[in-house]
Amino acid sequence: MSAPVLEISNLRKSFGDEVVLQNISFSVPVHTATVFIGASGSGKSTLLRCINLLDSVDDGVIKIDGEDITDPTIKSDQVRRKLGMVFQAFNLFPHMTVRKNITLAPIQVHGLSKDEANARADELLNRFGLMEKADQYPDRLSGGQQQRVAIIRSIALRPRLLLLDEITSALDPVLVNEVLSTVRDLKNDGMTMVLATHEMGFAKQVADEVCYLEAGQIVERGSAQQMIETPQDQRTIDFLKRVHEAGRL
Amino acid sequence: MSSTEQGAVSDDGDRASAFSNTWEPSALEISRRKVRKKQNQRNTLIAIFSTVVVLGTLITLLVTSPGFKSLTDTFFAWAYGVEVLPKIILGFSTNVLLTIIASTCVAIFGMIIALTRTSRSPALLPFRILATAYVDIFRGIPMLLVILLVGFGIPALRISGLTNNVLILGTAAVVITYSAYVAEVLRSGILTVHPSQRAAARSLGLSHFQTLRFVVLPQALRRVTPPLLNDLVSLIKDTGLVSILGVTDAIRAAQIASSRSFNYTPYVMAAIIFLLITIPLTRFTDRTIRRSIEKQNAQGLA
């Protein structure tokens, strides 16, 4: 078996006196998806931001393809080139068309020519049914379309690892499905992913491993089936019960 | 829950298709339109009547007042005004030239100062301190003082190689003051771009500089265009202040003409020339502001 794409050991992160993450250890083999579930404030987003070097860590090691990215001398831009990240609030660039949003980083960061980048963008837009929106500005798109563009924008860089941070939380239930089916397609293509989500049904479909995070610690982990249908830890059981009552399962 | 959602959607679809069929206004709507039209006609009549009465009264009072003859002789001697007009226009070309040169320099210096103040690099700390001090000082001094200090003070230093040309020194004084104003406008624009935009750009692998150039600045500049246009209008007017150094601009030309004849029509002519430039520019600014507000509102709805 090949080395994992992402390997985290004993990660700790605090903001001032508040410990947000501790004793976090897990690894993500290539072509698999690891899903983090947990209440808001449990540390899911912070974990993803640490992996992307948007936040610094207090202790522990994060390795991507065997390379320690918590090394303070590492070039953060180089690391981020291997990672794609999609945010809860889309964060598309409002002053650029959909196509420009997608081609900016391939042209500026990867040095693709404008034609190559456009061809890559159009291929992806075609595939995910957004071709007719290519020349529109983000504010003319629905939330679901904006989030799908944000996903395309991050995979246009052909990342080794895709980080998805509660990407459906800002969408109404009708729009959630189109975004989730896009993610399912990527999973079937073999994209390696780490997700934070509130969608348990979706977690069950794409996750190879599910981790339940509470108060900054991994309380329980296991296969999607086992975690969602037969959780062992009382805290996981309570959380899933609350999610169930909220109608999200 | 999901079934009711779907029900609502298909219901909406039916209604939309019902609307897309040919629609004739109902009798009720037709009668409402008639009433609205009548109301509009009445409002127009009232507006015209009120305007004619108010303005007519004011003009009548002005024209029939005992001082009106001497007022027109002193300020509105058009024949004399036309006679001195070429000189004032020639002077105004100095104001235009000064505006073009100064606004270009201000854009460059203002941007450098704003970028320095918003940078976070530890190496730039001394420059951040200097930039902050610069802005504090030159935003706090009346521009006339800066013009006097630079225009008369620098030649007094008698440093060889430094110019004594009052036009250049006057322009420099304007640039010094306006760079401080414009830097603050630009800085506020940079700060209004949400941090999540920066995070998105950085997570795509863009460097700090690329993020600034492709993501932050384009959005910041769009937002501060209206206040920058306001500053441009002020700049055009304030170029007149360099006349105190003896630069023959529109104001100085008017002053010379009027001191010869003890008639103030040249000043009025100069004022009219300034208005011919500033009023269209102000209208254009208002339109730009309105558009950017409309665009923001549209985004809010989407």
Side-chain angles (χ1 to χ4, degrees):
Chain A
M1 193 174 143
S2 59
V5 175
L6 175 71
E7 197 176 1
I8 292 185
S9 45
N10 291 317
L11 183 72
R12 184 190 164 88
K13 167 75 187 171
S14 59
F15 291 114
D17 289 337
E18 195 193 346
V19 179
V20 192
L21 293 169
Q22 55 184 325
N23 301 325
I24 303 284
S25 297
F26 66 97
S27 65
V28 184
V30 71
H31 306 318
T32 67
T34 299
V35 173
F36 283 84
I37 58 173
S40 299
S42 59
K44 304 186 300 288
S45 291
T46 307
L47 176 62
L48 295 182
R49 288 177 64 89
C50 284
I51 299 171
N52 205 10
L53 298 178
L54 288 170
D55 280 327
S56 61
V57 304
D58 292 351
D59 205 349
V61 175
I62 304 174
K63 282 183 178 174
I64 289 172
D65 282 332
E67 184 187 22
D68 178 10
I69 63 163
T70 51
D71 179 349
T73 62
I74 198 118
K75 292 247 186 295
S76 53
D77 295 343
Q78 304 264 333
V79 174
R80 294 198 187 107
R81 282 176 201 195
K82 296 186 183 174
L83 304 170
M85 179 142 179
V86 184
F87 301 85
Q88 180 178 339
F90 326 144
N91 296 358
L92 292 177
F93 305 131
H95 59 298
M96 296 180 184
T97 62
V98 163
R99 189 186 279 117
K100 275 258 174 69
N101 258 283
I102 298 169
T103 57
L104 176 69
I107 293 172
Q108 297 302 331
V109 180
H110 289 215
L112 260 65
S113 74
K114 208 179 159 200
D115 289 341
E116 287 171 313
N118 279 337
R120 194 186 279 189
D122 288 357
E123 184 199 320
L124 288 166
L125 286 169
N126 252 325
R127 193 178 149 204
F128 294 106
L130 286 164
M131 197 56 212
E132 76 264 37
K133 305 289 180 191
D135 295 311
Q136 306 244 355
Y137 284 88
D139 61 358
R140 311 292 304 169
L141 272 57
S142 75
Q145 289 166 338
Q146 288 190 47
Q147 191 58 293
R148 279 151 67 206
V149 171
I151 294 171
I152 292 174
R153 182 174 70 174
S154 57
I155 61 170
L157 292 157
R158 312 217 162 125
R160 282 286 287 161
L161 177 68
L162 192 60
L163 308 169
L164 305 170
D165 185 8
E166 289 184 28
I167 55 169
T168 57
S169 299
L171 301 174
D172 70 53
V174 184
L175 297 175
V176 165
N177 277 328
E178 62 179 69
V179 173
L180 294 186
S181 88
T182 303
V183 178
R184 260 194 304 271
D185 287 351
L186 294 177
K187 171 73 166 83
N188 292 336
D189 288 355
M191 179 67 78
T192 313
M193 303 190 268
V194 179
L195 303 89
T197 188
H198 290 303
E199 303 284 336
M200 295 306 148
F202 170 66
K204 217 157 82 180
Q205 288 170 31
V206 299
D208 296 283
E209 185 178 48
V210 173
C211 300
Y212 172 60
L213 208 58
E214 187 174 303
Q217 300 196 62
I218 297 178
V219 170
E220 189 177 357
R221 68 176 86 195
S223 70
Q225 181 107 21
Q226 180 231 311
M227 281 291 287
I228 292 167
E229 282 168 15
T230 57
Q232 304 298 314
D233 195 286
Q234 192 54 44
R235 288 169 288 182
T236 320
I237 295 169
D238 289 344
F239 172 72
L240 287 170
K241 199 170 150 226
R242 271 180 286 142
V243 172
H244 194 82
E245 282 162 4
R248 286 275 193 159
L249 196 67
Chain B
M1 186 193 155
S2 69
S3 67
T4 54
E5 288 279 341
Q6 275 163 3
V9 166
S10 64
D11 206 31
D12 261 356
D14 287 348
R15 248 179 275 149
S17 64
F19 267 126
S20 67
N21 292 339
T22 48
W23 166 74
E24 291 290 334
S26 64
L28 178 63
E29 173 61 18
I30 291 170
S31 69
R32 280 192 299 223
R33 281 181 192 182
K34 270 185 198 147
V35 174
R36 271 189 219 121
K37 202 175 166 190
K38 216 175 250 171
Q39 283 172 336
N40 278 342
Q41 284 169 342
R42 227 187 99 210
N43 287 344
T44 314
L45 274 177
I46 292 173
I48 292 172
F49 177 74
S50 142
T51 311
V52 168
V53 167
V54 172
L55 292 187
T57 312
L58 282 175
I59 291 171
T60 314
L61 277 176
L62 185 70
V63 172
T64 56
S65 69
F68 186 68
K69 176 79 172 64
S70 71
L71 180 83
T72 46
D73 285 351
T74 317
F75 289 103
F76 304 104
W78 297 121
Y80 182 55
V82 170
E83 190 189 315
V84 296
L85 188 60
K87 281 196 174 148
I88 297 175
I89 289 179
L90 191 68
F92 189 69
S93 68
T94 307
N95 294 87
V96 172
L97 182 73
L98 224 147
T99 302
I100 292 170
I101 296 172
S103 58
T104 313
C105 297
V106 165
I108 296 167
F109 290 138
M111 181 60 87
I112 292 173
I113 296 165
L115 289 180
T116 311
R117 284 200 73 184
T118 50
S119 72
R120 279 172 211 158
S121 151
L124 290 178
L125 179 67
F127 296 99
R128 268 201 296 285
I129 294 172
L130 286 176
T132 310
Y134 177 91
V135 169
D136 283 350
I137 291 170
F138 286 104
R139 273 204 317 171
I141 304 179
M143 192 162 99
L144 190 56
L145 258 178
V146 180
I147 291 176
L148 291 173
L149 277 171
V150 174
F152 294 134
I154 291 202
L157 291 174
R158 296 179 194 282
I159 299 172
S160 61
L162 264 184
T163 179
N164 285 351
N165 183 326
V166 282
L167 184 60
I168 295 176
L169 290 173
T171 313
V174 172
V175 169
I176 287 171
T177 304
Y178 267 81
S179 294
Y181 295 150
V182 167
E184 280 306 275
V185 173
L186 290 173
R187 189 172 74 100
S188 70
I190 290 171
L191 293 180
T192 58
V193 177
H194 198 269
S196 64
Q197 286 284 309
R198 238 180 253 262
R202 293 314 294 273
S203 69
L204 286 170
L206 267 67
S207 68
H208 176 75
F209 179 74
Q210 286 172 326
T211 302
L212 206 56
R213 180 173 156 206
F214 296 109
V215 177
V216 176
L217 281 184
Q219 295 184 55
L221 288 179
R222 219 158 285 201
R223 272 175 223 180
V224 296
T225 304
L228 284 181
L229 283 171
N230 274 331
D231 278 350
L232 181 63
V233 174
S234 305
L235 176 66
I236 293 172
K237 291 181 295 170
D238 282 352
T239 55
L241 285 173
V242 301
S243 62
I244 198 146
L245 298 177
V247 174
T248 320
D249 73 330
I251 294 175
R252 185 91 183 125
Q255 198 178 16
I256 293 167
S258 110
S259 62
R260 240 183 241 144
S261 59
F262 297 105
N263 183 290
Y264 295 92
T265 309
Y267 284 134
V268 174
M269 300 307 279
I272 290 170
I273 293 173
F274 272 101
L275 285 175
L276 285 178
I277 301 285
T278 52
I279 288 181
L281 200 55
T282 316
R283 286 281 161 278
F284 176 71
T285 308
D286 288 349
R287 217 179 59 183
T288 318
I289 295 173
R290 204 170 49 239
R291 280 202 185 152
S292 83
I293 290 173
E294 275 166 11
K295 202 162 174 225
Q296 272 167 18
N297 289 346
Q299 267 172 358
L301 286 172

